[in-house]
Amino acid sequence: MLDKHRLTLLPGFWRRFFLARDFIIIQLASTTRIRYDNFAGIFAGKRLVLKHMKNDPILADIKQDANSLPYFLWEEMGFRFGDKGTHTSRTIMLEELSLLLHECSEDASRDDYIKAIVDYNCLGKRTAATRRLSCQRMRELYGLDPSLLIFRVLRYCWYADEKGRPLLALLTAMARDPLLRITSLTILRMKPGDELARQVMTDELRQSIGNRLNDRTLDKVVRNASASWTKSGHLKGRVRKFRQKVVPTPVVTAYALLLGYLLGVRGPGLFKTLWTKVLDTSPEELISLAIDAKRLGLLDVCYSGGMVEVLVDRMLTENERMLLRE
């Protein structure tokens, strides 16, 4: 066995261990990089489990080997990876999120959110079973835990920007539901006025998840995702859905930039990530919105000579700032 105590002696390293029956993940993040090491040579029969879906749009923004990315760190911030997703049974649950955050105080704890849904039935569900299931699905989509960076910042932005709430919900659900992220590929290729071709979305999903979902479940994912993109404002219509352009606010723009920043994107690239693409706004317009967000105290933006630098420290705690700089 590897002597764990020897690992604790390595200076300047942040360590985390995650042990399971059939595999081990050991993450060592130095002051200059974060990497995953496969210790197959040391642990006979153990293997590193990769936690990303084929064609996950997140990976297109990051110019690194997918096998070396810090998924564990990202999950601690609130992102989720894999080949499963809440959209097999739910939409982004925008109405439920609105009711929950209206019911709870701005400094509510994880337990407060659970009690509001399960004990006090703030969502108006008929049975205890549906209340518990709704709570589970909402936690999958949003975390509902202030210790998760993504949810904590979502909550702050939610109360600060009523107009931007549908897009804030969508961005967070995309960060936490890999299936919804895959459907973004179809939406982003559409132009305003184009009709949604459900088969195109189905084919995109099938290419990414293979045969893990049967045709009936896959059709349900497409229907739920279509409804979610309608709630966010990207689609309109009931039976036949057509693409329309959304209009982001400065607060929504700041949140989208934060998501890209957490994944390691910097500089001008922040205005060309998946998160900013779904805002249907050119990089030049997004920079202007980012400058407005700076005036609101959300960002630090330096724009000169065609070059732009963005810092999101104002939205982070001191520990989070240190972790991102490790």
Side-chain angles (χ1 to χ4, degrees):
M1 291 290 292
L2 180 67
D3 186 353
K4 297 179 184 177
H5 298 291
R6 292 183 182 178
L7 285 175
T8 65
L9 298 177
L10 292 173
F13 280 74
W14 176 73
R15 308 160 183 83
R16 284 194 179 275
F17 300 88
F18 177 82
L19 298 174
R21 181 176 179 181
D22 296 324
F23 64 91
I24 181 169
I25 297 175
I26 297 183
Q27 175 177 308
L28 302 177
S30 72
T31 57
T32 57
R33 64 178 179 175
I34 300 172
R35 67 188 180 89
Y36 277 68
D37 288 327
N38 187 351
F39 286 86
I42 300 175
F43 293 90
K46 305 297 183 181
R47 60 189 175 87
L48 177 67
V49 176
L50 299 179
K51 305 178 72 174
H52 64 85
M53 182 191 295
K54 180 182 177 183
N55 298 332
D56 191 326
I58 280 182
L59 303 182
D61 298 331
I62 303 162
K63 310 304 181 184
Q64 298 180 38
D65 179 4
N67 294 348
S68 68
L69 296 175
Y71 297 103
F72 191 91
L73 176 62
W74 291 341
E75 287 185 338
E76 287 218 336
M77 296 174 182
F79 292 92
R80 296 179 72 210
F81 299 87
D83 57 0
K84 299 178 181 179
T86 309
H87 274 71
T88 53
S89 61
R90 292 290 190 277
T91 68
I92 58 173
M93 303 179 74
L94 178 60
E95 294 81 3
E96 289 88 341
L97 182 63
S98 299
L99 287 170
L100 179 63
L101 294 182
H102 176 76
E103 178 71 20
C104 295
S105 65
E106 295 185 24
D107 60 350
S109 67
R110 171 182 174 273
D111 288 342
D112 290 335
Y113 293 117
I114 294 174
K115 288 180 181 178
I117 298 172
V118 178
D119 296 342
Y120 305 133
N121 194 22
C122 72
L123 304 184
K125 302 301 180 181
R126 292 185 177 181
T127 67
T130 55
R131 293 199 294 270
R132 288 192 294 270
L133 183 58
S134 295
C135 183
Q136 178 183 337
R137 295 295 180 255
M138 288 195 69
R139 291 182 62 194
E140 290 172 4
L141 284 169
Y142 300 107
L144 304 186
D145 186 345
S147 69
L148 294 174
L149 190 164
I150 287 178
F151 175 72
R152 180 177 53 75
V153 179
L154 163 70
R155 183 174 68 178
Y156 176 84
C157 293
W158 184 273
Y159 292 118
D161 182 15
E162 183 175 354
K163 181 180 178 181
R165 288 175 180 177
L167 286 176
L168 290 170
L170 175 82
L171 289 168
T172 309
M174 284 177 59
R176 294 185 56 79
D177 189 337
L179 294 178
L180 182 60
R181 285 203 297 274
I182 290 296
T183 66
S184 71
L185 299 174
T186 302
I187 299 299
L188 291 176
R189 281 196 293 265
M190 297 173 65
K191 297 178 181 179
D194 286 353
E195 183 175 358
L196 174 66
R198 296 176 186 268
Q199 188 59 49
V200 173
M201 187 176 285
T202 301
D203 293 343
E204 200 84 60
L205 284 161
R206 179 65 74 196
Q207 184 179 1
S208 294
I209 64 178
N211 295 318
R212 194 186 67 78
L213 299 180
N214 60 40
D215 291 342
R216 182 176 179 180
T217 303
L218 201 60
D219 181 64
K220 196 169 185 180
V221 173
V222 171
R223 283 189 279 112
N224 287 334
S226 300
S228 290
W229 288 105
T230 303
K231 293 175 187 291
S232 70
H234 290 81
L235 297 175
K236 62 180 179 180
R238 295 180 63 85
V239 178
R240 299 175 62 190
K241 295 186 178 293
F242 298 87
R243 185 72 157 89
Q244 64 180 2
K245 186 177 182 293
V246 297
V247 180
T249 64
V251 173
V252 168
T253 302
Y255 187 61
L257 293 172
L258 170 73
L259 294 174
Y261 193 97
L262 295 179
L263 294 169
V265 185
R266 299 292 184 269
L270 279 170
F271 297 87
K272 301 177 182 178
T273 66
L274 171 67
W275 319 105
T276 50
K277 287 176 183 175
V278 299
L279 302 185
D280 292 340
T281 304
S282 70
E284 293 75 20
E285 293 176 285
L286 288 172
I287 291 173
S288 178
L289 288 167
I291 293 172
D292 290 339
K294 177 182 178 180
R295 298 190 185 101
L296 296 174
L298 294 171
L299 300 171
D300 286 306
V301 182
C302 180
Y303 183 52
S304 178
M307 296 300 295
V308 61
E309 289 295 333
V310 175
L311 289 177
V312 300
D313 287 15
R314 299 191 191 188
M315 291 186 279
L316 307 177
T317 66
E318 183 60 33
N319 287 338
E320 290 163 353
R321 295 184 197 112
M322 293 176 61
L323 186 59
L324 283 174
R325 293 190 176 97
E326 289 265 325

